Amino acid sequence: MHTESIKTMAKSTGTNKEGNNTSLANKVLAVSIVVAVAVVGYAFIASRALGPFAIAEAEKGTVGGTAKVIDDTTAAGGKAVQFGPVPVTPPPPSAAVPNGPTGTWNLKFSDEFAGAAVDTKKWTDESSAEYDGGHGNIKENGELNNQQLEYNRMANCTVTNGELSLTARRQAFTSPSGTKYTWTSCLLSSTPGYAFRYGYIEERSMLPANGGFWPAFWTWQAPGVNQWNETDVYEYFTDNHTRLYLSQHSGTGGSCDYVPPFDPSAGYHTYGADIQSTGTVFYIDGKKVCTASGSHQANTNIITNLSVYSQLAPPTSTTTAVKKVDYIRAWQR
């Protein structure tokens, strides 16, 4: 999608305040009763004594590694505690298979976006495909040379409810180089986590509806490769919901302008490319929709991003746009 490709723990606490100088027969018998009642995720923990008593304190934290206190309120003689599940990042879906190409595949890379933030062991917010330190743009002869208005930064890439949101925001931003931008957005490259030459990559995503944006899922040559290698699994210009652009820019190249039987902004769809030494095959929702004779000539990284398109810029009334990604996966034979 580079310029050249455009077109709780429940803890009991308390103190026995009885004096130690009285005889055993005169000591007050303290009987502590702890009652725990769980109803739809709630537990009522009470501690009572005949005489001085201790309140079982509930602290936010985990319980036995399986539950988590997410709220607590003081109740008469104890605590009402709300429990919730401990967020657990699931293991990679090793049983997952490509949605399209058949045969034997081995999952080599995946992100299900099940955590609370972007996994920086897998992703970085910069790429050599972009200017201004790998995040943005530069002007040549008064023109933005990659037709993008945004500066990409990790703050615009968020993970919640099992999905990645790439958010473009209309905001004034000055990059470390001093370049001024009117938009920020999100780009993620798998540079820290995965590089490949041949294999199948797939993204399940929902694209923005408002005009003026340029979401894409693509590859770009890995660091140290000084040769243009790029596969655009899809490019989508949001002024036209009836076209997806599928392109292989490596080797002998090849591309297709695809008319999808759906609106890419109206729901989630899977977009994939099988890149082999013999050529490239593009799949959408498991269906083969395009072939190209070209193929990668060297290692590449995976990129997902949301650009702000300078040639058909968003109207002034538009302040945000979001691309949502359910997962990104990569296999090799």
Side-chain angles (χ1 to χ4, degrees), residues 242-258:
T242 67
R243 288 290 188 278
L244 290 164
Y245 301 93
L246 324 176
S247 305
Q248 177 55 266
H249 299 281
S250 314
T252 55
S255 63
C256 299
D257 294 357
Y258 178 66

Side-chain angles (χ1 to χ4, degrees), residues 234-301:
Y234 73 80
E235 293 180 280
Y236 177 62
F237 298 92
T238 59
D239 64 299
N240 185 353
H241 291 205
T242 67
R243 288 290 188 278
L244 290 164
Y245 301 93
L246 324 176
S247 305
Q248 177 55 266
H249 299 281
S250 314
T252 55
S255 63
C256 299
D257 294 357
Y258 178 66
V259 180
F262 57 83
D263 180 346
S265 70
Y268 279 91
H269 296 273
T270 58
Y271 305 92
D274 183 7
I275 306 159
Q276 302 297 333
S277 60
T278 52
T280 304
V281 181
F282 298 84
Y283 294 85
I284 295 180
D285 289 336
K287 178 184 177 181
K288 183 192 298 185
V289 297
C290 176
T291 59
S293 62
S295 180
H296 290 162
Q297 305 298 295
N299 275 356
T300 64
N301 299 125

Side-chain angles (χ1 to χ4, degrees), residues 8-9 61-68 84-88:
T8 336
M9 182 177 295
T62 59
V63 183
T66 60
K68 183 177 182 178
V86 174
V88 177

Side-chain angles (χ1 to χ4, degrees), residues 198-213:
Y198 302 132
Y200 178 75
I201 62 173
E202 182 177 287
E203 174 185 274
R204 183 172 185 264
S205 57
M206 179 166 59
L207 309 184
N210 34 350
F213 298 93

Side-chain angles (χ1 to χ4, degrees), residues 2-310:
H2 189 255
T3 306
E4 316 221 1
S5 71
I6 182 168
K7 312 143 283 287
T8 336
M9 182 177 295
K11 181 178 69 176
S12 293
T13 61
T15 304
N16 184 353
K17 295 182 181 178
E18 292 294 323
N20 293 323
N21 295 325
T22 58
S23 65
L24 179 62
N26 292 328
K27 287 186 176 180
V28 177
L29 175 62
V31 178
S32 180
I33 303 171
V34 177
V35 180
V37 180
V39 180
V40 193
Y42 282 84
F44 180 78
I45 302 176
S47 177
R48 290 191 175 182
L50 301 178
F53 63 90
I55 294 177
E57 299 289 346
E59 295 181 348
K60 291 186 178 181
T62 59
V63 183
T66 60
K68 183 177 182 178
V69 171
I70 58 177
D71 194 16
D72 63 85
T73 55
T74 301
K79 290 279 187 177
V81 184
Q82 182 180 358
F83 289 87
V86 174
V88 177
T89 301
S94 56
V97 295
N99 187 12
T102 58
T104 302
W105 293 92
N106 297 307
L107 187 69
K108 295 294 186 179
F109 175 86
S110 72
D111 200 333
E112 309 302 303
F113 303 108
V118 172
D119 186 346
T120 54
K121 292 181 180 179
K122 295 180 178 180
W123 304 103
T124 181
D125 61 353
E126 64 182 55
S127 169
S128 63
E130 308 298 315
Y131 298 94
D132 201 357
H135 295 267
N137 216 322
I138 59 174
K139 284 188 175 182
E140 292 180 344
N141 300 319
E143 295 292 329
L144 296 171
N145 67 352
N146 62 1
Q147 301 184 6
Q148 298 169 213
L149 295 176
E150 82 285 350
Y151 184 89
N152 296 297
R153 56 189 194 139
M154 192 64 78
N156 294 61
C157 314
T158 56
V159 175
T160 55
N161 300 321
E163 64 184 14
L164 167 69
S165 294
L166 300 86
T167 302
R169 294 189 181 95
R170 186 187 293 275
Q171 64 180 131
F173 184 84
T174 302
S175 72
S177 71
T179 303
K180 297 184 183 299
Y181 294 84
T182 56
W183 286 85
T184 60
S185 194
C186 169
L187 174 149
L188 293 178
S189 169
S190 70
T191 303
Y194 185 65
F196 77 108
R197 181 172 180 179
Y198 302 132
Y200 178 75
I201 62 173
E202 182 177 287
E203 174 185 274
R204 183 172 185 264
S205 57
M206 179 166 59
L207 309 184
N210 34 350
F213 298 93
W214 178 12
F217 178 52
W218 48 302
T219 68
W220 184 255
Q221 59 257 26
V225 177
N226 297 314
Q227 179 185 24
W228 185 19
N229 279 262
E230 177 182 359
T231 303
D232 295 332
V233 181
Y234 73 80
E235 293 180 280
Y236 177 62
F237 298 92
T238 59
D239 64 299
N240 185 353
H241 291 205
T242 67
R243 288 290 188 278
L244 290 164
Y245 301 93
L246 324 176
S247 305
Q248 177 55 266
H249 299 281
S250 314
T252 55
S255 63
C256 299
D257 294 357
Y258 178 66
V259 180
F262 57 83
D263 180 346
S265 70
Y268 279 91
H269 296 273
T270 58
Y271 305 92
D274 183 7
I275 306 159
Q276 302 297 333
S277 60
T278 52
T280 304
V281 181
F282 298 84
Y283 294 85
I284 295 180
D285 289 336
K287 178 184 177 181
K288 183 192 298 185
V289 297
C290 176
T291 59
S293 62
S295 180
H296 290 162
Q297 305 298 295
N299 275 356
T300 64
N301 299 125
I302 299 170
I303 296 177
T304 186
N305 75 311
L306 174 58
S307 290
V308 186
Y309 187 39
S310 67

